[in-house]
Amino acid sequence: MDKDKTQSFSLYDVMLALNDSIWDLYGLNMHTGELTVYKQTGKAKSIYEGLELNEDYESIASRYIDNNVYEEDREAMRNFMRLDNLKNLLRSSAKLVYHYRLFRDDMMQYFYLKCVRIGSASDPDMIVFAFIPEAQDANREKLLDLIEIDDLTGVFTKQAFYHHARRILEAYPNEKYSIIMVDIVNFKQVNSIYGEKKGDEVLKYIAEYVSDFIEEEGISGRYGGDKFIGIGKHHPDKGKEWFSSVVNNAGINCPVPNIKIKCGIYGDVDRNLPISVMADRALMAIKSIKGKYAVPYALYDEKVIEANIREQNLEDRFKSAVNNKEFKVWYQPKCCADNGKVVGAEALVRWKMDDGSFISPGEFIPIFERDGLIVQLDEYVFREVCEQMSRWRESGVTLFPVSVNLSRASLHEEGTVEKYTRIIEEYDIPKEYVPLEITESATIYSREIEGLMNNLKRKGFALHMDDFGSGVSSLASINILPFDVVKLDKGLIDLIGDRSGDELVRHTIELSHFNEMTVVAEGVETENQLELLKKLNCDTIQGYFFSPPVPSDKALEYVSNNR
């Protein structure tokens, strides 16, 4: 990786490597913004006496795409050729390749755009653009290792994979093929816990693992980040057991323990589609099982299509739902374990449609977490709670703490501390009355997030560790992170009645109390659970045993009768 960031080429090196196969060659001076043409439609200019163009880069790039590139490829190529995108990509790689199509002389033509950085990654002198028709790219193999292979993992880059996958489909027109997408579950935590070097080892291992199970009949590539893609022959005879074993065995020899992957499969592909669309379909299949820990893979089928349409509809409706206040804040009381008296509540969002029906938070929250809309929803709920508490106070109600959830995305949003401080001060609500709930998985071993949490504490906010025991928890985090309250996840509470489960709950409560943290048990539904939690000195109970989440008026009524 370090090698890749420092590698660069001279303009002479580029010309020598590509030889006469270049169709058009341009150089963009990154210091002056001047765009120079060195070769145009096969006619060379002097390297040192290139023709300067009077138009800016964006205008020329846009015109080239509009006038030459096949219509279906234009949007993707515009995104790739955006100067900010190229600068970002060329920071970590000195060379890029992009495949696209032209429609010229009543026929489809395949081209490469090769971009090469001249100068350092942090301050490049020039970006060279070489446009090369496939038929004339006689030196493609010479450049393959430089521009088509992912430096870290040794598999094809995304665009190179698209190109070679298309070639496979064209070479074997009578064979059926499948596209397989592989995603490493919770990979960000690997970097956070073990460091980037170990994370790189995991990426290399998974890349090799994917290549192995694709076998000799296909190819694989790095789709981006922690995702990999492959194309192989379609095997309808390989059923659930085979796919499950492929996914479940991925972590056996991995450099980091407990690594899991998920697979999305688009089987028997429609050859008329671009490879990028095939990849999108495999990715949709993965998204359909995100968060479902017991489901290792998914096929792209009618259910996935319907779910994707439904997801898009919810995303499209989000803005109007916020403006029309369709998101309603409900409150679930938290009660003292010993006497059942209310000591607070948690704010939970519900989506009430115009027709009075509700959309489950289990459906829309994961969608908004994926697309980033959760940041706006977090702020909306926080503001609604502050506004509600202000109304209660004006009507003479004695305030009680109402905790509000803060998502992982909000934690990474710049200015979060200042924004939430400004909102609560706008309504003049004491900060101890609106504690913030943060899942432990969102904070684990992240110095950046730990610093943000300390900043929130300095501003006066109380912090609750949410969902402890949900599957990724570590008792060590109780010692490390600056929480005031630990909330035991329902999954942990459901273990009560099993001897080992009882012991785990006891140890967690004792360690939390040792660190002077209050313990809240979530999802308490039975008297047996309540009695054991009381015996173990749990402080607070939240769950249907006392009350489900209810609208603000019902919550106030419950609080008034149980204080």
Side-chain angles (χ1 to χ4, degrees):
M1 188 173 292
D2 291 334
K3 176 196 73 175
D4 198 41
K5 288 185 177 179
T6 57
Q7 184 180 12
S8 66
F9 302 95
S10 72
L11 186 54
Y12 177 77
D13 292 331
V14 174
M15 292 288 286
L16 185 64
L18 297 174
N19 203 0
D20 293 332
S21 59
I22 299 173
W23 193 254
D24 294 298
L25 183 69
Y26 297 84
L28 177 62
N29 188 311
M30 300 303 292
H31 301 298
T32 66
E34 293 175 344
L35 189 64
T36 302
V37 57
Y38 296 104
K39 194 172 186 181
Q40 196 168 40
T41 319
K43 296 180 180 179
K45 316 290 181 184
S46 167
I47 290 180
Y48 302 104
E49 297 178 2
L51 175 66
E52 292 183 4
L53 302 177
N54 293 324
E55 290 184 84
D56 64 275
Y57 164 80
E58 301 287 355
S59 299
I60 294 175
S62 179
R63 187 171 66 252
Y64 176 84
I65 292 170
D66 290 339
N67 293 342
N68 295 282
V69 176
Y70 188 59
E71 186 174 359
E72 290 185 5
D73 295 350
R74 288 175 189 170
E75 183 177 355
M77 191 167 181
R78 281 194 192 95
N79 291 333
F80 175 78
M81 291 191 70
R82 284 197 338 263
L83 195 53
D84 59 339
N85 180 57
L86 289 174
K87 286 179 180 177
N88 184 50
L89 293 173
L90 289 168
R91 285 193 186 100
S92 57
S93 178
K95 61 280 174 181
L96 304 168
V97 64
Y98 185 85
H99 303 273
Y100 65 101
R101 297 171 293 177
L102 300 183
F103 196 76
R104 182 182 291 170
D105 299 329
D106 294 326
M107 63 181 295
M108 187 80 70
Q109 297 181 27
Y110 290 87
F111 266 67
Y112 300 96
L113 166 59
K114 294 177 179 176
C115 304
V116 181
R117 183 187 76 226
I118 296 177
S120 67
S122 59
D123 187 24
D125 299 314
M126 178 180 286
I127 299 177
V128 175
F129 301 86
F131 297 83
I132 307 169
E134 180 182 349
Q136 296 185 26
D137 193 3
N139 293 305
R140 183 175 63 82
E141 293 300 326
K142 181 187 294 186
L143 293 172
L144 184 64
D145 288 340
L146 288 177
I147 55 183
E148 294 192 343
I149 300 299
D150 179 66
D151 290 326
L152 176 63
T153 62
V155 297
F156 283 123
T157 61
K158 180 178 176 179
Q159 289 297 328
F161 172 84
Y162 286 174
H163 169 76
H164 292 289
R166 175 56 65 190
R167 299 287 80 78
I168 288 174
L169 294 179
E170 291 173 351
Y172 301 97
N174 297 321
E175 293 283 358
K176 293 183 177 181
Y177 282 88
S178 296
I179 293 285
I180 301 173
M181 186 75 71
V182 174
D183 183 27
I184 305 175
V185 179
N186 294 325
F187 179 72
K188 288 183 179 178
Q189 291 186 16
V190 174
N191 278 336
S192 297
I193 297 171
Y194 297 98
E196 289 189 9
K197 184 177 180 181
K198 210 67 176 177
D200 286 349
E201 291 180 18
V202 171
L203 291 173
K204 293 176 187 176
Y205 169 81
I206 295 298
E208 184 176 354
Y209 185 81
V210 173
S211 296
D212 287 344
F213 80 72
I214 292 294
E215 302 176 329
E216 296 180 0
E217 59 195 23
I219 59 170
S220 63
R222 187 176 180 186
Y223 184 78
D226 58 353
K227 293 181 177 63
F228 295 87
I229 188 170
I231 183 170
K233 288 183 180 178
H234 179 59
H235 291 291
D237 54 311
K238 290 183 177 179
K240 293 182 179 180
E241 290 186 4
W242 185 84
F243 282 115
S244 295
S245 67
V246 165
V247 174
N248 294 331
N249 292 337
I252 291 178
N253 296 312
C254 191
V256 168
N258 302 318
I259 286 294
K260 295 185 181 298
I261 64 172
K262 286 188 179 292
C263 284
I265 303 151
Y266 173 37
D268 191 10
V269 301
D270 180 351
R271 292 167 176 268
N272 295 318
L273 296 173
I275 301 295
S276 59
V277 174
M278 299 180 193
D280 287 342
R281 292 188 171 185
L283 190 58
M284 285 181 206
I286 284 186
K287 288 182 177 179
S288 72
I289 56 172
K290 189 169 185 178
K292 299 178 181 178
Y293 294 102
V295 185
Y297 74 94
L299 302 175
Y300 178 82
D301 54 18
E302 289 299 323
K303 290 183 179 179
V304 171
I305 295 171
E306 292 173 5
N308 187 63
I309 293 172
R310 170 74 168 173
E311 179 175 323
Q312 189 62 53
N313 287 337
L314 294 181
E315 290 175 337
D316 292 343
R317 293 194 57 172
F318 176 80
K319 187 175 181 179
S320 63
V322 169
N323 293 336
N324 298 330
K325 289 188 176 290
E326 293 179 16
F327 293 109
K328 308 297 181 183
V329 178
W330 285 22
Y331 300 82
Q332 185 170 35
K334 300 175 185 178
C335 302
C336 175
D338 291 331
N339 56 32
K341 298 296 184 182
V342 174
V343 295
E346 178 183 358
L348 298 165
V349 66
R350 299 292 184 264
W351 191 348
K352 187 176 182 180
M353 309 289 278
D354 293 337
D355 60 4
S357 63
F358 284 87
I359 301 174
S360 167
E363 179 180 5
F364 66 81
I365 287 180
I367 294 172
F368 296 158
E369 285 178 334
R370 286 198 296 270
D371 61 22
L373 292 173
I374 194 68
V375 173
Q376 298 176 52
L377 186 59
D378 284 350
E379 181 182 345
Y380 173 93
V381 172
F382 186 79
R383 185 177 289 278
E384 287 289 303
V385 169
C386 290
E387 188 174 323
Q388 180 62 70
M389 296 187 84
S390 180
R391 288 196 297 268
W392 280 338
R393 182 176 55 193
E394 290 174 2
S395 63
V397 174
T398 301
L399 295 184
F400 52 92
V402 176
S403 59
V404 177
N405 288 279
L406 201 59
S407 68
R408 182 195 303 266
S410 289
L411 291 174
H412 288 278
E413 182 82 355
E414 187 175 352
T416 291
V417 176
E418 294 75 16
K419 178 168 61 178
Y420 279 72
T421 300
R422 186 170 60 253
I423 292 171
I424 200 169
E425 290 177 351
E426 176 184 335
Y427 290 95
D428 195 27
I429 305 296
K431 295 184 182 68
E432 62 266 26
Y433 282 100
V434 193
L436 300 174
E437 294 198 9
I438 303 170
T439 59
E440 184 214 2
S441 62
T443 64
I444 189 167
Y445 299 110
S446 171
R447 292 181 179 178
E448 178 185 352
I449 299 303
E450 187 176 348
L452 181 142
M453 293 171 63
N454 285 324
N455 198 2
L456 285 169
K457 291 273 288 183
R458 284 192 292 270
K459 292 290 186 180
F461 287 98
L463 301 180
H464 293 192
M465 181 193 294
D466 196 17
D467 296 340
F468 185 87
S470 60
V472 294
S473 298
S474 165
L475 289 172
S477 61
I478 294 177
N479 287 319
I480 297 170
L481 300 169
F483 286 105
D484 304 286
V485 174
V486 174
K487 298 190 71 178
L488 306 185
D489 185 74
K490 184 181 185 302
L492 191 58
I493 301 305
D494 287 342
L495 296 177
I496 289 177
D498 176 81
R499 183 177 178 183
S500 59
D502 292 352
E503 283 299 300
L504 181 57
V505 172
R506 179 177 69 82
H507 283 301
T508 304
I509 292 174
E510 288 179 353
L511 182 59
S512 300
H513 284 163
F514 179 80
N515 284 277
E516 300 180 346
M517 297 180 182
T518 301
V519 179
V520 178
E522 289 188 284
V524 178
E525 298 178 350
T526 69
E527 188 168 354
N528 286 339
Q529 290 173 339
L530 174 62
E531 290 304 315
L532 180 70
L533 289 165
K534 289 168 67 175
K535 182 179 178 182
L536 297 178
N537 297 315
C538 181
D539 303 290
T540 307
I541 305 296
Q542 179 182 344
Y544 276 67
F545 183 84
F546 285 113
S547 173
V550 292
S552 58
D553 56 339
K554 297 290 185 182
L556 184 57
E557 180 182 347
Y558 186 91
V559 171
S560 300
N561 294 331
N562 293 278
R563 295 192 85 164

